[in-house]
Amino acid sequence: MKQLFIKFVEPLTKIEFYQNLLANILIIIAYILLGMIVIAISRKVVTKFFKVNEKKKTRYKIKRSETLSTLVQNLISYVVWFIVLTSVLSRFGISVSAILAGAGVVGLAVGFGAQTVVKDIITGFFVIFEGQFDVSDYVQINSSGVTIAEGTVQTIGLRSTRIQSDTGEVYTLPNGTISEIVNYSKTDVSPLIAIPISPNEDYDVIEKELKAFLPTLKDKYDMFVAAPDLLGLDSIDGNEMVIKLLAHVKPGMHFPGQRLLRKEIISYFNDVGIHTPKPTLVKLEDEEK
């Protein structure tokens, strides 16, 4: 024990030990600073690369460029820090090749139990590079025909995607669960709107009024790419008749366009004296009477 203690303490009494330790610490700090500088420069280069001719790009290409820029920057960071770590370990005489060989064996064993993670990464890769959706797109995500999330895309990663709903909930979805995607932000959309009208109204008058009113909305609101179309009378019963319209709006304006068109039509009907259905009260007579 005494010999072991002396063998352990003896180097601490020599000035060369502290000189080597200080040199290694300075070199490690230099590696870390160099890594930070490389990452900072690469991020600026990548950002500038993806912003080339941004004025000529469409809104969708700009969003896609932002997504790919973030992904490339993250990959560069991972590679740089891996190189820094292996360099630091080498300074202390630790065999990096032996660690990688051991990690390969362990990774092979773990791989059989991490098939879902691999599936998530592969799916995430195709989602990003095929441009199925981008950050800030409004999407509906389905799995086996069942909607599991709907809202605005916050982040897209290789393993998971975050989506925020209209009511504020944030869904973090493993990419492997994404099998069906409905993207409302890729192209112009034409949501269908149903408006109930009192059955006592004259439909010919309503049709004439709407054909004069609907074209004014395109110039009034920027979200409309074309004047809404009146499809006609969809149904009628004793309580109401329902007319249907198509609102031609810009990408991502599916639901705001529906709400705005309903508001404008109801307001216009009130101005011209066209009535919407009102509940009817039925008084039941006492059977004894």
Side-chain angles (χ1 to χ4, degrees), residues 18 46 50 74 79 86 105 130 143 186 204 232 266 285:
Y18 296 101
V46 170
F50 281 102
N74 289 336
V79 171
T86 55
V105 175
E130 289 182 358
S143 180
K186 281 294 183 184
D204 290 334
I266 294 301
E285 296 291 340

Side-chain angles (χ1 to χ4, degrees), residues 1-273:
M1 292 292 295
K2 184 178 180 180
Q3 290 179 348
L4 289 174
F5 179 75
I6 293 173
K7 187 176 181 180
F8 176 76
V9 174
E10 185 178 2
L12 300 178
T13 61
K14 296 180 179 180
I15 192 170
E16 292 83 1
F17 172 81
Y18 296 101
Q19 289 176 342
N20 292 333
L21 180 62
L22 180 60
N24 286 331
I25 291 174
L26 292 176
I27 291 174
I28 291 171
I29 293 174
Y31 284 155
I32 294 174
L33 291 176
L34 181 61
M36 294 173 66
I37 292 171
V38 170
I39 290 173
I41 293 174
S42 64
R43 284 183 174 178
K44 289 184 178 180
V45 172
V46 170
T47 301
K48 187 174 181 179
F49 174 80
F50 281 102
K51 283 190 176 181
V52 173
N53 297 325
E54 189 172 271
K55 293 182 179 180
K56 298 180 181 179
K57 294 180 179 180
T58 63
R59 174 173 171 264
Y60 321 111
K61 289 184 177 180
I62 290 175
K63 291 195 300 179
R64 179 164 168 73
S65 294
E66 291 174 351
T67 303
L68 291 174
S69 175
T70 301
L71 177 63
V72 172
Q73 290 178 32
N74 289 336
L75 290 175
I76 291 175
S77 297
Y78 296 149
V79 171
V80 170
W81 287 124
F82 178 77
I83 294 173
V84 169
L85 178 61
T86 55
S87 300
V88 169
L89 293 176
S90 297
R91 291 297 305 177
F92 287 97
I94 300 174
S95 177
V96 177
S97 59
I99 294 176
L100 293 177
V105 175
V106 174
L108 183 62
V110 173
F112 289 103
Q115 295 181 14
T116 56
V117 176
V118 174
K119 180 182 178 182
D120 293 340
I121 293 174
I122 292 175
T123 304
F125 176 85
F126 284 109
V127 165
I128 293 172
F129 285 95
E130 289 182 358
Q132 297 177 14
F133 56 82
D134 294 303
V135 173
S136 78
D137 282 356
Y138 191 94
V139 299
Q140 181 185 84
I141 304 298
N142 301 326
S143 180
S144 301
V146 178
T147 300
I148 57 177
E150 182 176 336
T152 303
V153 179
Q154 298 295 309
T155 60
I156 305 173
L158 283 177
R159 200 193 69 81
S160 64
T161 296
R162 288 187 179 181
I163 297 174
Q164 185 173 22
S165 69
D166 291 337
T167 52
E169 298 89 353
V170 176
Y171 299 90
T172 302
L173 304 177
N175 290 329
T177 63
I178 300 174
S179 60
E180 303 164 17
I181 303 168
V182 180
N183 193 333
Y184 294 100
S185 301
K186 281 294 183 184
T187 59
D188 297 338
V189 289
S190 300
L192 187 67
I193 295 110
I195 303 292
I197 305 294
S198 171
N200 299 322
E201 297 291 339
D202 187 339
Y203 176 74
D204 290 334
V205 173
I206 295 173
E207 185 176 34
K208 181 180 178 181
E209 292 286 350
L210 286 178
K211 285 185 176 180
F213 170 69
L214 293 177
T216 65
L217 295 179
K218 181 180 182 300
D219 296 329
K220 186 176 180 181
Y221 296 103
D222 185 56
M223 72 168 63
F224 291 103
V225 296
D229 289 329
L230 174 62
L231 299 182
L233 186 62
D234 184 68
S235 64
I236 186 169
D237 58 30
N239 298 317
E240 65 179 18
M241 56 182 179
V242 177
I243 58 173
K244 285 193 173 180
L245 305 96
L246 283 178
H248 307 291
V249 294
K250 292 181 178 180
M253 295 289 105
H254 186 99
F255 299 108
Q258 285 182 320
R259 292 190 287 267
L260 179 61
L261 184 55
R262 289 192 190 98
K263 173 188 171 184
E264 286 293 326
I265 289 180
I266 294 301
S267 176
Y268 181 72
F269 281 172
N270 289 334
D271 292 340
V272 298

